[in-house]
Amino acid sequence: MFRLGTRGSPLALTQAGMVRDALMAAHGWDDVEIVVIRTTGDRVQDRALAEIGGKALWTKELDRALLAGEVDACVHSMKDVETLRPDAIAIAAILPRADVRDRLIGADSLDALPHGATIGTSSPRRAAQVRRLRPDVGTTLFRGNVDTRLGKLAAGEVDATLLAAAGLERLGRHDTGVAIPLDVMLPAPAQGAVGVETLSEGDARARVAAIDDRDTHRAVAAERAFLAALRADCHSPVAALATIERGALRLRAQLLTEAGEQAVEGSAEGEDAVEVGARLAAELLACAPDAIRALFG
């Protein structure tokens, strides 16, 4: 039986189920086993990821299980996968992308937040974007799964929070929050994308490749190339979104200071996803103020 490794949160299990169903449909399999692997990121909830090891906290235990042959593939939210991956592991497939926008929960819009409001978020990108749009609004660390964060909001710990629309949709929370337009807040690179990793060598990679959505994979590759060229990490307030229309790839991106008082943004187009990502990173850094350039490289 084919074995899928995944984190154990409700959203992770839902996404693993999506991959399982796609594999069964593609290959005519009767079943795929879902193997839950507890990660450090799930265990430590009181500190920012950047303080305790970054995105590897979501992947290192899954990587170990994959490399040890305990599972055949691992399912990830691609925005949580570090940019540089082991050579022995490959991104074999990415499912069709869901809604890439952020949703604001607790107010009808950012403008509707009361003066001096507090937003709960664990994302440096979201915090910087909020501060740029509403300098009077404060942010505080907010970690945990979707239900945990919504529970903290309901308990009055903050005035509002921001969550990915894709995750809320996958959990059936279609009416939770208000989607923020992309011209107001660009999302995190790879937001809304579910990826499947396998060993670089072996039959599993080809089997998983059967469910790959080529346009989504190409867009995510451009966004990840942009991050790689910046040498961005969990501390970096970076937004990026690639879209493909009639075969043409366009990448938009934004770099901010941590407090959001300065920002630079732009776009690039081209055929090769990696080239477009690297080119836009170089162009934005070349015109960025010193405070932003100091965050990268």
Side-chain angles (χ1 to χ4, degrees), residues 140-276:
T140 190
L141 179 66
F142 230 41
R143 288 198 54 213
N145 63 36
V146 169
D147 286 336
T148 298
R149 297 187 199 196
L150 293 178
K152 290 179 179 180
L153 174 63
E157 293 186 22
V158 293
D159 298 294
T161 189
L162 289 159
L163 295 172
L168 292 168
E169 289 286 339
R170 288 171 183 145
L171 290 171
R173 296 181 175 275
H174 309 291
D175 299 324
T176 300
V178 178
I180 299 179
L182 293 175
D183 60 355
V184 176
M185 285 182 66
L186 272 180
Q191 185 158 307
V194 174
V196 190
E197 291 191 324
T198 66
L199 296 179
S200 299
E201 303 292 335
D203 295 339
R205 184 173 185 177
R207 291 172 181 170
V208 170
I211 65 171
D212 186 46
D213 183 82
R214 293 182 63 185
D215 280 353
T216 300
H217 205 140
R218 187 178 171 206
V220 170
E223 294 161 20
R224 287 173 60 81
F226 177 75
L227 284 179
L230 291 171
R231 301 179 188 176
D233 59 23
C234 283
H235 292 282
S236 308
V238 178
L241 176 64
T243 54
I244 297 174
E245 298 178 11
R246 294 185 292 276
L249 184 147
R250 178 172 181 257
L251 176 64
R252 290 175 287 165
Q254 182 185 45
L255 309 179
L256 305 100
T257 51
E258 293 177 352
E261 76 279 10
Q262 296 185 69
V264 60
E265 53 191 272
S267 64
E269 299 179 5
E271 294 298 321
D272 184 271
V274 173
E275 185 277 330
V276 170

Side-chain angles (χ1 to χ4, degrees), residues 17-245:
M18 292 164 53
V19 173
R20 175 200 60 206
D21 294 347
L23 286 170
M24 290 169 59
H27 297 293
W29 294 343
D30 292 330
D31 198 11
V32 170
E33 181 183 0
I34 293 177
V35 180
V36 175
I37 298 169
R38 189 161 172 78
T39 69
T40 305
D42 293 310
R43 290 193 295 269
V44 181
Q45 295 290 326
D46 60 346
R47 285 175 286 169
L49 286 181
E51 296 178 4
I52 53 175
K55 291 183 178 181
L57 295 176
W58 302 127
T59 58
K60 65 180 181 179
E61 285 91 353
L62 289 162
D63 289 351
R64 182 205 56 77
L66 182 59
L67 293 168
E70 297 171 9
V71 295
D72 300 295
C74 291
V75 181
H76 299 284
S77 291
M78 285 306 300
K79 73 173 182 177
D80 293 334
V81 177
E82 62 267 36
T83 307
L84 299 178
R85 303 293 288 131
D87 291 339
I89 295 176
I91 301 170
I94 300 180
L95 299 186
R97 202 170 200 170
D99 191 341
V100 300
R101 295 174 295 178
D102 291 309
R103 282 196 198 163
L104 177 68
I105 303 103
D108 291 336
S109 68
L110 289 172
D111 287 342
L113 286 167
H115 185 85
T118 299
I119 287 184
T121 181
S122 61
S123 163
R125 186 261 315 174
R126 287 174 176 148
Q129 288 174 322
V130 166
R131 290 171 186 148
R132 181 163 181 79
L133 295 164
R134 286 288 306 270
D136 62 295
V137 170
T139 61
T140 190
L141 179 66
F142 230 41
R143 288 198 54 213
N145 63 36
V146 169
D147 286 336
T148 298
R149 297 187 199 196
L150 293 178
K152 290 179 179 180
L153 174 63
E157 293 186 22
V158 293
D159 298 294
T161 189
L162 289 159
L163 295 172
L168 292 168
E169 289 286 339
R170 288 171 183 145
L171 290 171
R173 296 181 175 275
H174 309 291
D175 299 324
T176 300
V178 178
I180 299 179
L182 293 175
D183 60 355
V184 176
M185 285 182 66
L186 272 180
Q191 185 158 307
V194 174
V196 190
E197 291 191 324
T198 66
L199 296 179
S200 299
E201 303 292 335
D203 295 339
R205 184 173 185 177
R207 291 172 181 170
V208 170
I211 65 171
D212 186 46
D213 183 82
R214 293 182 63 185
D215 280 353
T216 300
H217 205 140
R218 187 178 171 206
V220 170
E223 294 161 20
R224 287 173 60 81
F226 177 75
L227 284 179
L230 291 171
R231 301 179 188 176
D233 59 23
C234 283
H235 292 282
S236 308
V238 178
L241 176 64
T243 54
I244 297 174
E245 298 178 11

